[in-house]
Structure formats: structure tokens, C-alpha cells
């Protein structure tokens, strides 16, 4: 009887030795004359346990990890192919506390299936959303997405249904769907996990978006640093064309949707939607003035939906189970689930998908297990390199767009980077200014010049020079960046800088009273 063994093909797992473990398992099984069916699945998102090897048993899949090639002979000796006990045995995968406490909607299949098996995808609920969409009017599809309360998962949190409705109601012979897969924020990897671990869910989501707004062409603008995702996406797209899920006559419906992957330009600013479209058009990635909005005049001047990976990958479950089902997760105006990514100085780094409302403290300690160093957590940065630094006093803030806005912070793409009490927050503020300086497209003066002067002022502050003059100057520079920049790169750089200054004044060589000046 064949034994089914799963080893992730996720690039993070591969970087930790998953390919070598796969080779070792194959060789050891051959040596022992065992018939195995080895499947490369996506990652379950528990990265401190990677490479995580799973074995199918009558009771469910049993996990072992982290496994290295040298562990493989001992695992076979312990009869791990039948779920046998071993020091690396973790028990049933879906009973692990980190995993079973989650509410996986967008990530329901990731880690369970072979990413490139369309059969696996369909058997696990795939393409049911598209089937329903094909039987609905365009207005009904848009209404379902609107009813779900889905908001953009890339940063601005704009209601997805409103964006789609604008494109639907804008007359044009040609419209486009763009997936912003230029995942450049620090501590974020959920987009990559979807593209590598469940590419068909993104393809299905983009196809539904195309049907909804009458767009016949889609582009995935992929971060150039994601070679594994590039291969997987192209292979999945080829399969979708072959099986009639993309092309001129989708599943015999008469509807058309074409899709291709375009590699990004390697610039952080190309994650901004108008700069991304400039890059897609073959031009330098410079930010455009708005209005007009991309929904009215976007790619090549045509109405364009621009959503990020998680937004589009959330659409199939909404069309499958209904907008009300998705809306029942979350809190306030933050509906559905958010894949949160824990990174940095954290004991258990990984991905947690839950409905909005969980607090930072619960994420950091119940899921993350505290700092990897064992020292107190001093600060976390949420929402990428332009997100605010939050002190321990704000760890009870629920993960909610409005709750974060109330403390002058952003949820963004859901990335959380953790720092213990050895971090110097003045140095982190300087890094934020330098990041803006390096990544600025240069089109607007506040961002281009303000960030350059900001680095110089930060150097003076860190070296203790003229604090009475330079602290107010830093605040003035941040005010200029915040209110004068053309896009969020310059406009949000004040978030990490001022939050570091306000919450950790001692790292700037000043007392708390002085920061209020």
C-alpha cells in the first residue's frame, strides 16, 4: 500500500531545507523498498517548524518538524510513515494549537493540497465561486462583494465593492484587472504563500472580477524577487487555459478572460497602484496625479480594477458561500478575515488567519509565544516599513482598521515585525527616513528632498547635536511629508518616525516632556 507523505514546496520551507528533506525521504524509502506518494504542498504557515513533514494516516495527517535530512533514517526507523512516535512528532497537524485556533477562509487549502493540481483544487471547494458567478448578473456579483464588507487588504483598506462598481459603471470597450503582487512590505509573506501554495484561488478571484466589471484582460504584477511564485503561477495559468477556466469561452459560458504574469521593476514605489500601471505600460515607475482614479482611467487610460493578492483571493469564498457568510467574521467596519504575518524577534513566526478583532497582545503571545530572545517585547511595527511603531501600552488594540486609525497607526498588509528591548528606536526612525530617501520615485519635492534632509536631521539627533533645534525641525519635516507628498511613500514616512519619537523619547536623548513641545 502506498504511503502519502507531504513536504512543502513553499520557498521559505525550501530555504530551510525542504528540497533536501524530500530527496532524503525518496532515497530512504527506495532503500527500504517502501512505496510512497510524495506530494509537495504549500506551507501551513508555522515557519518555526519548517520543513514540516506530514504523513496521511487513518486519523488524519500527522506532523513532524522541523525535519532535516539527517533525521530521515530515524523517522523511518520509528515508523513515521504510519504516524509512529518520534522526538520530532507533533501529533495531528490540524490539532496543533497555533493552527486549530485559526479561521482559515482565504488560506483554507494552503498546506493541504498540491498547488498545481486542479483536481485537488476542485475537490477542496475550488471554482465553486466562479460557477455561481457565471449564473449571476454583473451587478449581482458586485453586490455580493459589496455585501461581504471586503476592503482592500493591501494598505488603504478601500471597499472593494465600491471600486468594482465604479469600473462596472464606467463605459469602455476595454477594461482591465490588475493584481498587485508586488509584496514589498517588511515582514509580509501572505501574498507569496497564496501564489506558491494555492495559485488557482488567485486565478479564480481575478476571473470573477473580470466577469463582474466586463474586463477581458488581467495582469498579475509580480515582485521580481519571487521566482518560485513566477513558476507556479505560470504553470497554473497554463492549466487553467487548458481546462477552459481561462480564455475565450470560460466553461462554455461565452465569457472571455485572459491572464498573464508580468515581473515587477524591483522598486518599492511600484507597489503604489499608479506607479505600478506606469511600469506595466513599459515606463519608469513614477506616481501619477489623481484624479483621475484608476477605476475611471487606469492602465492605458482604461477603467481598471487594482486589488492586491489577498483581496482577490478572498473573492472565491465570498461568491461560493455568500457575502453574508464572509461578513459574519470580523468586527465594526473591518469584516472577514485577515492573514496576519508574525516576523522579526518572535519565537513562533508564521501566518495566522483570523477574523478582525484579535488584539496585538493575543497575536504576539498566544500565537507568537513572545520574543525569540526571551526578552521583553519593546515595540512592534504593523503595516510594513511605513507603519507606526507601537509600544507595549498599545498591545491591547484590536486588529481593526478604525481602531488602528484612532491611535495613528495602520493595519496595512497585516505584517507585524517584533523588536525586543535591545532595539534603539531612534535608529529605527532613521532607517524609515533612509528607506523613503532610497525608494522615492523622485517626482515630488516633499518626498525626494524631505527624506534626504530627514536623514541628515536624524544623524544630528542620534549624535546629540542641537536637540532643541532638531527635534522641532524633524516634526516640521514630517508635517511637510505627510501633507505635501504625492503618494503614500512620502505621506506615510512620518508614521514610523513620529511614533518612535513620541513613544520612545528616551532613545532620542530627550525626556517625554520635551517631545510634547
Amino acid at each position: 500500500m502506498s504511503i502519502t507523505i507531504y513536504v512543502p514546496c513553499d520557498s521559505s520551507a525550501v530555504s530551510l531545507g525542504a528540497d533536501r528533506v524530500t530527496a532524503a525521504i525518496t532515497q530512504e524509502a527506495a532503500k527500504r523498498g517502501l512505496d510512497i506518494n510524495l506530494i509537495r504542498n504549500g506551507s501551513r504557515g508555522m515557519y518555526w517548524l519548517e520543513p514540516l513533514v506530514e504523513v496521511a494516516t487513518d486519523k488524519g495527517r500527522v506532523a513532524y518538524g522541523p525535519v532535516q535530512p539527517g533525521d530521515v533514517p530515524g523517522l523511518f526507523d520509528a515508523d513515521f510513515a504510519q504516524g509512529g512516535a518520534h522526538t520530532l512528532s507533533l501529533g495531528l497537524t490540524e490539532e496543533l494549537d497555533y493552527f486549530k485556533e485559526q479561521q482559515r477562509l482565504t488560506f483554507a487549502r494552503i498546506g493541504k493540497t498540491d498547488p498545481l493540481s486542479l483536481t485537488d483544487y476542485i475537490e477542496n471547494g475550488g471554482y465553486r465561486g466562479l460557477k455561481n458567478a457565471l449564473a449571476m448578473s454583473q451587478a449581482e456579483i458586485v453586490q455580493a462583494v459589496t455585501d461581504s464588507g471586503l476592503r482592500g487588504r493591501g494598505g488603504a483598506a478601500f471597499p472593494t465593492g465600491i471600486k468594482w462598481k465604479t469600473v462596472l459603471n464606467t463605459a469602455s470597450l476595454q477594461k482591465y484587472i490588475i493584481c498587485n503582487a508586488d509584496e514589498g512590505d517588511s515582514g509580509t509573506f501572505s501574498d507569496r504563500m497564496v501564489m506558491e501554495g494555492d495559485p488557482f484561488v488567485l486565478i479564480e478571484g481575478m476571473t470573477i472580477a473580470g466577469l463582474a466589471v466586463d474586463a477581458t484582460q488581467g495582469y498579475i504584477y509580480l515582485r521580481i524577487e519571487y521566482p518560485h511564485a513566477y513558476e507556479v503561477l505560470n504553470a497554473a495559468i497554463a492549466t487553467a487555459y487548458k481546462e477552459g477556466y481561462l480564455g475565450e469561452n470560460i466553461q462554455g459560458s461565452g465569457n472571455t478572460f485572459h491572464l498573464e504574469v508580468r515581473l515587477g521593476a524591483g522598486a518599492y514605489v511600484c507597489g503604489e497602484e499608479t506607479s505600478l500601471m506606469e511600469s506595466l505600460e513599459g515606463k519608469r515607475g513614477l506616481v501619477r496625479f489623481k484624479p483621475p482614479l484608476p477605476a475611471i482611467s487606469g492602465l492605458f487610460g482604461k477603467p481598471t480594477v487594482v486589488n492586491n493578492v489577498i483581496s482577490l483571493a478572498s473573492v472565491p469564498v465570498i461568491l461560493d458561500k455568500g457575502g453574508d457568510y464572509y461578513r459574519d467574521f470580523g468586527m465594526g467596519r473591518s469584516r472577514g478575515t485577515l492573514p496576519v504575518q508574525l516576523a522579526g524577534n518572535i519565537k513562533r513566526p508564521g501566518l495566522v488567519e483570523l477574523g478582525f478583532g484579535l488584539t496585538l497582545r493575543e497575536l504576539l503571545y498566544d500565537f507568537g509565544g513572545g520574543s525569540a530572545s526571551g526578552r521583553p517585547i519593546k515595540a512592534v511595527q504593523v503595516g510594513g516599513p511605513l507603519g507606526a511603531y507601537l509600544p507595549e501600552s498599545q498591545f491591547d488594540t484590536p486588529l481593526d482598521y478604525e481602531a488602528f486609525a484612532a491611535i495613528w497607526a495602520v493595519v496595512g498588509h497585516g505584517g507585524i515585525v517584533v523588536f525586543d528591548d535591545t532595539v534603539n528606536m531612534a535608529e529605527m526612525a532613521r532607517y524609515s527616513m533612509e528607506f523613503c530617501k532610497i525608494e522615492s520615485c523622485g517626482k515630488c519635492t516633499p518626498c525626494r528632498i524631505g527624506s534626504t534632509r530627514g536623514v541628515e536631521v536624524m544623524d544630528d539627533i542620534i549624535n546629540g547635536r542641537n536637540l532643541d533645534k532638531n527635534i522641532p525641525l524633524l516634526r516640521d519635516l514630517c508635517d511637510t511629508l505627510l501633507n505635501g507628498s504625492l503618494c503614500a511613500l512620502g505621506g506615510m514616512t512620518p508614521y514610523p518616525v513620529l511614533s518612535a519619537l513620541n513613544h520612545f523619547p528616551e532613545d532620542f536623548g530627550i525626556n517625554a516632556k520635551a517631545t510634547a513641545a
Side-chain angles (χ1 to χ4, degrees), residues 328-412:
D328 284 344
F329 294 85
M331 64 175 285
R333 291 178 53 219
S334 301
R335 310 311 307 177
T337 60
L338 178 70
V340 178
Q341 301 117 95
L342 296 173
N345 193 336
I346 191 79
K347 187 176 181 180
R348 296 197 293 262
L351 180 129
V352 179
E353 184 180 0
L354 277 167
F356 286 89
L358 199 73
T359 67
L360 282 172
R361 196 178 304 278
E362 289 172 303
L363 284 164
L364 294 171
Y365 293 99
D366 294 353
F367 286 93
S371 70
S373 62
R375 300 181 65 89
I377 296 176
K378 179 175 178 175
V380 298
Q381 187 177 34
V382 185
L386 306 179
Y389 290 106
L390 306 182
E392 194 274 339
S393 61
Q394 295 182 332
F395 286 178
D396 292 314
T397 305
L399 210 65
D400 166 77
Y401 293 121
E402 280 65 45
F404 266 62
I407 61 170
W408 212 64
V410 292
V411 173

Side-chain angles (χ1 to χ4, degrees), residues 485-506:
S485 297
L486 188 56
C487 82
L489 176 56
M492 287 187 64
T493 296
Y495 278 68
V497 175
L498 292 179
S499 61
L501 178 60
N502 292 337
H503 296 305
F504 308 98
E506 64 280 2

Side-chain angles (χ1 to χ4, degrees), residues 411-441:
V411 173
H413 192 39
I416 300 176
V417 181
V418 182
F419 303 87
D420 73 10
D421 61 356
T422 62
V423 70
N424 183 302
M425 296 308 297
E427 295 284 355
M428 298 310 299
R430 184 195 184 281
Y431 168 79
S432 299
M433 276 291 189
E434 185 179 36
F435 181 86
C436 182
K437 170 188 170 183
I438 293 168
E439 296 293 342
S440 173
C441 77

